[in-house]
Amino acid sequence: MQLVLSGNWLVKKGFYEAEIEDIKLYNSLDSIKEIPPLSFAVFSYHLATHTLELNIKESELPPVLIAKIKKFKKLAPKPKKTKLILKGKSLNDDEFKAGVLKIRSLIEDGTVYQINLTNRFDFELCGDPVSLFFNFYKNQPVPYGFFLDTGSFFVISGSMELFLEKTGNKLISKPIKGTSKYLKFLQNSEKDKAENLMITDMMRNDIGRIAHIGSIKVPELFKITKYRTLYQMHSTVEGQTDKSMIEIIKQTFPPASVTGAPKRKTVEMIDTLEPHNREYYCGCAGLIKNETDFTLSILIRTAIGSKNALSYYAGCGIVWDSDPESELNELHLKVKAFYEK
Ligand SMILES: C=C(O[C@@H]1C=C(C(=O)O)C=C[C@H]1O)C(=O)O
């Protein structure tokens, strides 16, 4: 068992290795008995079956994993060289582009407004998974990086997206929508702003279900952050709530930015459009500090594997003016920091 967190989770730089006391697995949010004051939790996308009362493809991994942490120690990583060999994709390029057109027809007939279409990339790994995590992080430092190895599978996350952070009664979310290699392009893109606004509105609505009336604010709209291989646009939604983490997850999961609008219908459509199971990808994970305070990232830019086989996933928000070729390029841009031929 190994858990390594990038420093940002703890408001410090560098890497931290957690000494894990034990890991508990749960089948549903309702079956969680206790969340220890210092723990790291992973929530599978598959929990949508409970939060939205929908039937989606069965998942092989436990829906909820909670690791109780004894303490952290600072880590000075010495990653070894790693190499990834691409073995296959869930959707080939033509199939992905056909998916974009299919979503456009669903928008045209009024079924949905936006769907986040994703793909799975399967790799053989030469080297060890923790080194792969460090190398990935070096290519692209992000605020919510972590490596978790349970002994039977591992998760490598290079996510920069904040799903939910609660400090006292203050809850914030920073949905990302809008991705580009070029800053100017993103600054002037009406399409990306429309995509972002739609998801920000959904997040306001989701948080509104558990926040005090009149407390929802949007202090940031269309803010652009530079990462090594791309620019990302996010907005910030905040509200006041005294609800528990599980209660909050029940009302907001799965995250709007990785599903689409309207949420229930898009999750249903995603299940037919994507042949793969999302597993933990598009779920969330993070650090629970105490009764009130926690930070959960969205599991994008994330790989899941076992031994020397792993899958990395990436996706794009598809709207009415999405062009299949541009969306395919955006998809590949999101794979770049993890794997480049
Ligand atoms: C689903 C992914 O990305 C989502 C889609 C984004 C977009 O369309 O710009 C940006 C961030 C994510 O919410 C992914 O990176 O895999």
Side-chain angles (χ1 to χ4, degrees):
M1 254 177 346
Q2 189 178 15
L3 174 63
V4 177
L5 304 186
S6 70
N8 307 57
W9 292 101
L10 301 154
V11 205
K12 283 178 198 154
K13 283 206 179 311
F15 293 97
Y16 288 81
E17 172 134 32
E19 192 180 315
I20 299 175
E21 244 179 85
D22 73 330
I23 291 189
K24 287 208 162 60
L25 307 175
Y26 298 97
N27 280 328
S28 66
L29 293 168
D30 283 331
S31 61
I32 298 173
K33 297 203 183 59
E34 58 146 349
I35 303 182
L38 191 59
S39 51
F40 192 82
V42 183
F43 298 92
S44 164
Y45 176 78
H46 197 259
L47 288 170
T49 52
H50 305 150
T51 57
L52 301 175
E53 293 178 8
L54 269 177
N55 270 327
I56 57 171
K57 279 189 254 341
E58 271 315 314
S59 162
E60 285 177 11
L61 298 173
V64 183
L65 179 158
I66 300 181
K68 184 174 177 191
I69 296 168
K70 209 166 167 187
K71 60 175 190 250
F72 286 104
K73 68 169 193 286
K74 194 139 188 358
L75 201 66
K78 289 190 193 70
K80 298 194 194 94
K81 226 172 150 298
T82 52
K83 193 177 157 211
L84 289 168
I85 302 164
L86 183 63
K87 289 292 189 184
K89 295 177 198 176
S90 164
L91 294 164
N92 66 33
D93 290 356
D94 286 338
E95 287 166 338
F96 185 82
K97 288 193 278 186
V100 175
L101 292 178
K102 171 76 188 149
I103 292 168
R104 287 190 38 162
S105 73
L106 290 171
I107 296 170
E108 191 173 18
D109 70 22
T111 310
V112 295
Y113 302 101
Q114 175 173 174
I115 289 187
N116 190 75
L117 181 66
T118 79
N119 203 1
R120 191 187 75 199
F121 301 79
D122 301 321
F123 295 97
E124 181 189 326
L125 168 66
C126 308
D128 61 289
V130 75
S131 291
L132 179 66
F133 164 67
F134 288 126
N135 295 334
F136 177 30
Y137 191 91
K138 201 170 152 215
N139 284 348
Q140 182 140 281
V142 287
Y144 308 112
F146 75 87
F147 171 77
L148 172 71
D149 190 348
T150 65
S152 50
F153 62 88
F154 60 82
V155 182
I156 295 174
S157 185
S159 173
M160 64 286 274
E161 186 163 3
L162 178 68
F163 178 34
L164 298 165
E165 182 161 65
K166 188 162 167 280
T167 315
N169 275 353
K170 186 177 168 185
L171 182 67
I172 63 167
S173 177
K174 292 179 183 277
I176 296 181
K177 217 37 28 186
T179 305
S180 178
K181 210 170 156 180
Y182 307 104
L183 176 63
K184 274 265 159 322
F185 176 86
L186 211 49
Q187 280 169 336
N188 298 318
S189 170
E190 290 309 317
K191 169 189 171 276
D192 286 290
K193 286 180 191 166
E195 256 181 66
N196 189 297
L197 192 61
M198 212 186 282
I199 300 305
T200 302
D201 260 338
M202 281 178 73
M203 211 60 227
R204 285 175 46 191
N205 178 69
D206 288 353
I207 290 186
R209 278 197 231 118
I210 36 87
H212 301 323
I213 292 169
S215 71
I216 308 278
K217 294 189 195 106
V218 179
E220 286 182 316
L221 196 61
F222 312 147
K223 178 129 197 290
I224 298 174
T225 309
K226 181 184 192 314
Y227 296 94
R228 221 161 259 173
T229 62
L230 41 69
Y231 290 89
Q232 299 281 196
M233 185 192 281
H234 78 264
S235 297
T236 300
V237 180
E238 65 173 62
Q240 297 285 328
T241 180
D242 45 24
K243 295 275 191 287
S244 72
M245 183 177 82
I246 298 301
E247 209 53 52
I248 295 168
I249 293 177
K250 277 188 184 170
Q251 297 300 330
T252 55
F253 191 90
S257 63
V258 291
T259 53
K263 196 188 278 186
R264 197 169 189 280
K265 193 71 200 169
T266 56
V267 170
E268 209 179 313
M269 297 320 300
I270 285 166
D271 203 48
T272 64
L273 290 160
E274 297 177 356
H276 53 277
N277 193 313
R278 290 184 171 191
E279 302 286 2
Y280 291 146
Y281 170 63
C282 294
C284 65
L287 195 66
I288 296 136
K289 291 181 188 151
N290 54 45
E291 282 262 301
T292 56
D293 297 6
F294 61 85
T295 304
L296 295 172
S297 69
I298 301 183
L299 291 175
I300 56 165
R301 318 300 146 85
T302 294
I304 301 157
S306 139
K307 298 199 175 85
N308 64 341
L310 60 95
S311 297
Y312 180 84
Y313 305 72
C316 313
I318 310 301
V319 288
W320 169 243
D321 42 3
S322 281
D323 163 54
E325 201 63 46
S326 318
E327 297 297 345
L328 187 68
N329 289 338
E330 184 179 318
L331 184 79
H332 291 150
L333 181 63
K334 288 170 178 166
V335 181
K336 210 174 155 196
F338 185 75
Y339 166 77
E340 212 169 359
K341 256 189 257 169

